[in-house]
Amino acid sequence: MGSDRKNFDEMLFGSEGVRQPYDNYEKWFGSEDPARLTKKSKEAEAFFRRTGITFNVYGQAAAQERLIPFDLVPRILSSREWTRLSKGIEQRVRAINAFLHDIYNRQEILRAGRVPIELISQNAAFLPQMIGMSPPGDVYTHIVGTDIVRTGEDDFFVLEDNARTPSGVSYMLENRETMLHMFPELFSQIKVQPVSDYPKNLRKSLAACAPHSCEGKPTVAVLTPGIHNSAYFEHSFLADQMGVELVEGHDLRVVDGHIAMRTTQGYKVIDVLYRRVDDEYLDPLNFKPESMLGVPGIMDVYRAGNITIANAPGTGIADDKAIYSYMPDIIEFYTGEKAILKNVETWRCSEPASLQYVLEHLSELVVKEVHGSGGYGMLVGPAASQKELSAFTAKLKSNPGNYIAQPTLSLSTVPIFTKKQLAPRHVDLRPFVLVSPNKVSITPGGLTRVALKAGSLVVNSSQGGGTKDTWVLED
Amino acid sequence: MKLKITHTTSYSYDEPVSYALQQVRLTPMDNPQQKVLNWNVAIEGGDTELTFLDQHKNHTMLVRVEPDRNEVRIIASGEVETNDTVGVLGKVYGTAPLWHFQQHTRRTAPGKGVAKLARIIGTTDSQLDDLHTLSRAVLNAVPYGKGGTFVGTTAEEAIISGGGVCQDHAQIFVSAARKAGIPARYVSGYLMMNDRVDQDASHAWAEAHLQGLGWVGFDISNGISPDERYVRLATGLDSRDAAPISGVRMGTANESMIVSLQIQQ
């Protein structure tokens, strides 16, 4: 589809020139030799290849590894913009944790009729094994990646709450490191809030969620499904950066009522397990019996209060896209406040009137699977062919409850560096949030994903998107 | 009635097992139908790693088999005082909401056979009468018989096979009740058969939730509601949820199991 003229560009603002947060960067950029920047851009790619950041694309030739393209023009937010965003994210994340506790315990929000029971009772992400238990510190979503899009100066929308296992934080860190490596002088001219504390903060935040039974310094570990997982790089990167063990299911055993890992000095108890294995594969004793990736009995150890699992099992109920449409009510119910960040208008296709509207306006809408992620299985109406539209119409009619639809937002753009010049491309933002019993902390910035094709609105790396360094300026 | 129970389950492996876990739900809890006077679960050849209450408030133990054992024995024994409440457990609720008992699991997913049985509900204006009719219809459709089904058989598969044991009957019943919109659950426990001390095996039945009455029990295999000869051990959505013992083990060893159960007054 062609780019909408009314798109808000975060760097250049019509005839008024450069937007304030980009002032200093634009001055620097203007004084740079484009040939040098082109060379730098190539260097960045080599840098990424050396550090080994790659990802696997599902559905392509077996375990094909690709680099996510990196663009060297940063996405810049002012400290004022960030303060407002982070307040909105914190409010949302607190509400999500209160919601999860409520859903697995008293279910006040269902009794009050604010969220329909069917949305929970018929939800595949509802995990019965979580009923009636409170995880240590009542924290469910230790790590959240809230996807945010922007359409105007003050118009930020939350697109998705990734409350299960948000990935991408390793790109945020590597992008900054690459920029610091390539343009050290830039960071002495412009004061940017650092992100490099993330691994240290992640470790501290996880440790603060250790079970009550834990005495002394909590032991944290990262559980990976193994090298064939598309995010394996990130699992090993984070373990390495935090200075903790990276383990697989077969390294772990139940020992003295705890989960322990095999080390050269025998078995060592794990207090907090940052797991990157999905719920249903987590414990063959309690979930899928055939799973070889998980840890038998870990749910029993968890219910007995002897380990913290991050994120808690069953959190998927909160990032379901049908639940998403109730998030403004959920925030109000638990915080007593109006949502600071807006939700994108969402049609639930399970409702007949909405389904009819969606079918009539399919070519204008974005349709997503309720449990989908990564841009798989979605329809971007304005970019779809007739054939794709009619195929999707059939899907919607046969299983309407599986879909939600949203308007095609005119996402803001930020320039990328092309061979000739700066060219606007659509972006989104995934800030990374850490939750512990007393604190919600958000790394300034996050991961900016950028659609590299002119006019494209799909920023997912699996669909050809790239990334940018994200700057939040010091005051 | 005071029931004295000794329930021994022995697992033997044809080669030593380096790592195995057993999840054990063999501890009855107090409720309007029973009061536990004394109870003990002893493990020979294994260690109790921890105990907890599961989502149905079943007392659950996680047992680790001692490394490189060929045998582990789990002995549950004690005395329980029971009352005849004509099958009515009543309005006794845990944390799980009632709608949870309308959710199907892999083992209780209804197919054509269950759907046909579910149509019995609603034929009269008494749900209680309909459920008793359903109970008889389940036994008619799937007469008691060993060998046709196994531990993982689903409700629908048991109907197709045309024969089953108490586990199958209870799962078909809960599946049909849920299909008709009635919250229902699976119960595992003990039944003392009057004419003998040595019982065949542990038992399973079902409970359905009715407006006004609360939870009501149905022993489909015996065509009655539980009386004072029954002891409830665990409940759940299906036989996996409420399994007295379920386990995982590493390696290739084959497992065989011998159960002995004595119940007497």
Side-chain angles (χ1 to χ4, degrees), chain A residues 104-105 107 110 117 120-122 126 128-129 131-132 253-257 284-289 296-297 300-301 303-304 306, chain B residues 18-19 21-23 25 49-56 60-62 64 95-97 99-100 103 237 240-241 246-248 250:
Chain A
Y104 287 114
N105 288 278
Q107 307 202 319
L110 302 184
I117 288 177
I120 307 297
S121 67
Q122 291 169 18
F126 178 80
Q129 284 81 355
I131 294 174
R253 291 269 196 283
V254 176
V255 178
D256 298 332
L285 183 60
N286 288 288
F287 307 129
K288 264 185 196 291
D300 298 19
V301 175
R303 273 195 88 99
N306 291 348
Chain B
S18 65
Y19 184 62
L21 296 172
Q22 303 278 12
Q23 201 180 48
R25 290 182 178 84
E49 295 284 339
L50 51 89
T51 61
F52 64 99
L53 294 181
D54 71 10
Q55 70 266 28
H56 298 290
T60 312
M61 298 161 60
L62 185 66
R64 179 174 169 175
T95 334
W99 58 255
H100 184 49
Q103 291 187 300
L237 290 190
R240 189 181 178 202
D241 256 8
S246 56
V248 291
M250 307 272 278

Side-chain angles (χ1 to χ4, degrees), chain B residues 108-181:
Chain B
T108 66
K112 279 187 189 152
V114 167
K116 193 175 158 210
L117 288 164
R119 283 197 284 275
I120 292 168
I121 310 291
T123 47
T124 74
D125 47 17
S126 161
Q127 278 194 334
L128 186 59
D129 290 349
D130 288 349
L131 286 166
H132 282 295
T133 312
L134 172 65
S135 173
R136 286 190 295 274
V138 170
L139 190 59
N140 264 335
V142 183
Y144 191 87
K146 285 184 180 172
T149 56
F150 68 105
V151 65
T153 301
T154 68
E156 196 63 35
E157 286 163 359
I159 294 176
I160 293 165
S161 86
V165 296
C166 55
Q167 166 177 324
D168 304 302
H169 295 149
Q171 284 193 151
I172 296 167
F173 182 91
V174 299
S175 176
R178 287 177 198 155
K179 172 87 182 159

Side-chain angles (χ1 to χ4, degrees), chain B residues 82-121:
Chain B
T82 58
N83 308 314
D84 187 356
T85 63
V86 291
V88 179
L89 177 71
K91 295 177 179 176
V92 178
Y93 304 105
T95 334
L98 271 182
W99 58 255
H100 184 49
F101 301 98
Q102 292 172 290
Q103 291 187 300
H104 291 292
T105 64
R106 200 190 69 78
R107 289 187 190 177
T108 66
K112 279 187 189 152
V114 167
K116 193 175 158 210
L117 288 164
R119 283 197 284 275
I120 292 168
I121 310 291

